[in-house]
């Protein structure tokens, strides 16, 4: 595995002075004003009042005007912080945590949303069991037009603490940010998001799972919006997406039970490589040759297990067929 572990994460200190509500719903926003009203309305529909819930939008120096949306939808009920310069996703998330005064922190991106019952469903177990580090629910991936696209895999048939969740999550990313609420004290123990990695969410949720038991609610109560983006596209074209996953897997190893760390790490690397090869096949058919080559290259740098090498041979045959068809079309 040709990747070094991630560095120490930014520190998270105690909450700012002032009243401590039960919840802090912190909404990082960047160029998503067109979706922000839906986000805010989904929270305000469950708002127990300022004594119990802090709601804040942290605008990372957007080109649009999220402040106008906040004022139109929420008036003075929602705090608005506008950074004088762009901090980047990881740093803005850390500012959200640092400014959170509540016992329970929900990070809700400005283009995501929650469904009715989200806060009640996650609050009950977290208040009942102080040992829980976090609670999360099943999520729905939605399109830009808010229509449902896919439903996250079911982790357990009934609500409760997940057995062996750390090992499951270390095998591969299974969460999206809007579906999880984390105790602020857990962030204080493990630190913030690492802005240096492109897969900062997976890195964080594994560390949260290592900090204590995690509760699962099978009802799909969070909405994660899938939007195309140039950053993601460039990461795939360069192979940085797979490189970042290798770095997180290397760091995850230190959090795993020593007697199982090698096996879980090898499985995670193999799964990452197989996923890269499946992605490469799609890219090949789309004519994205550079991205195809980058994904194949990084897959081989990640794992050379028998399953990966077998899939690579199959992909090679597909590549030959695609090249033959292209040559034939050029001759016509």
């Amino acid at each position: 595995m040709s990747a070094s572990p991630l560095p120490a994460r930014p520190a998270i200190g105690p909450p700012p002075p002032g009243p401590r509500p039960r919840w802090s719903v912190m909404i990082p926003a960047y160029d998503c004003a067109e979706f922000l009203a839906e986000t805010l309305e989904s929270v305000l529909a469950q708002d127990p009042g300022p004594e119990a819930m802090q709601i804040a939008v942290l605008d990372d120096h957007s080109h649009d005007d999220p402040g106008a949306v906040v004022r139109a939808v929420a008036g003075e009920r929602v705090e608005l912080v506008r950074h004088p310069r762009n901090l980047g996703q990881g740093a803005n998330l850390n500012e959200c945590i640092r400014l959170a005064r509540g016992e329970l922190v929900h990070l809700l991106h400005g283009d995501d949303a929650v469904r009715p019952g989200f806060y009640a469903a996650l609050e009950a177990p977290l208040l009942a069991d102080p040992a829980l580090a976090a609670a999360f629910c099943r999520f729905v991936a939605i399109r830009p037009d808010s229509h449902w696209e896919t439903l996250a895999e079911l982790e357990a048939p009934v609500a409760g603490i997940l057995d062996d969740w750390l090992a499951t999550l270390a095998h591969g990313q299974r969460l999206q940010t809007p579906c999880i609420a984390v105790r602020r004290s857990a962030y204080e123990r493990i630190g913030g998001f690492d802005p240096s990695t492109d897969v900062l969410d997976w890195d964080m949720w594994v560390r949260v799972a290592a900090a204590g038991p995690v509760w699962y609610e099978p009802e799909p109560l969070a909405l994660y919006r899938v939007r195309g983006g140039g950053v993601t596209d460039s990461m795939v074209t360069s192979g940085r997406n797979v490189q970042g996953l290798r770095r997180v897997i290397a760091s995850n190893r230190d959090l795993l039970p020593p007697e199982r760390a090698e096996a879980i790490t090898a499985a995670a690397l193999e799964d990452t490589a197989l996923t890269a090869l499946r992605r490469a096949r799609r890219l090949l058919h789309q004519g994205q040759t550079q991205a195809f080559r980058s994904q194949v290259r990084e897959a081989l740098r990640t794992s050379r297990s028998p399953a990966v090498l077998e899939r690579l041979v199959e992909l090679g045959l597909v590549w030959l067929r695609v090249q033959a068809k292209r040559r034939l079309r050029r001759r016509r």
Side-chain angles (χ1 to χ4, degrees), residues 22 27 31 51 70-71 77 148 155 173 261 313-314:
R22 187 176 307 122
I27 303 173
D31 287 355
E51 297 80 11
V70 172
R71 290 188 293 272
R77 173 63 184 94
W148 288 24
E155 302 294 349
Q173 167 67 308
V313 171
E314 295 173 0

Side-chain angles (χ1 to χ4, degrees), residues 6-12 94 97 133-134 165-166 169-170 175 180 182 186-195 197 199-214 248 251-252 254-255:
L6 300 171
R9 283 56 167 211
I12 299 295
N94 289 334
I97 300 171
W165 177 239
L166 172 60
L169 191 55
L175 303 180
I180 185 168
V182 179
Y187 284 128
E188 293 168 19
R189 294 199 307 275
I190 66 177
F193 289 85
D194 177 19
T197 176
V199 282
L200 45 77
D201 51 350
W202 185 26
D203 168 63
M204 174 58 81
W205 310 140
V206 171
R207 288 189 285 132
V208 168
V214 175
V248 172
S251 290
N252 289 347
D254 296 335
L255 302 173

Side-chain angles (χ1 to χ4, degrees), residues 223-272:
L223 303 176
Y224 166 71
R225 196 178 307 272
V226 179
R227 294 198 286 160
V231 173
T232 300
D233 294 342
S234 67
M235 287 167 54
V236 170
T237 301
S238 66
R240 279 177 52 209
N241 60 324
V242 184
Q243 296 166 15
L245 290 169
R246 285 204 303 271
R247 294 182 66 209
V248 172
I249 292 169
S251 290
N252 289 347
R253 185 187 181 103
D254 296 335
L255 302 173
L256 297 169
E259 68 279 6
R260 301 173 61 197
E262 183 175 352
I264 294 171
T265 299
L269 290 168
E270 180 184 77
D271 189 64
T272 298

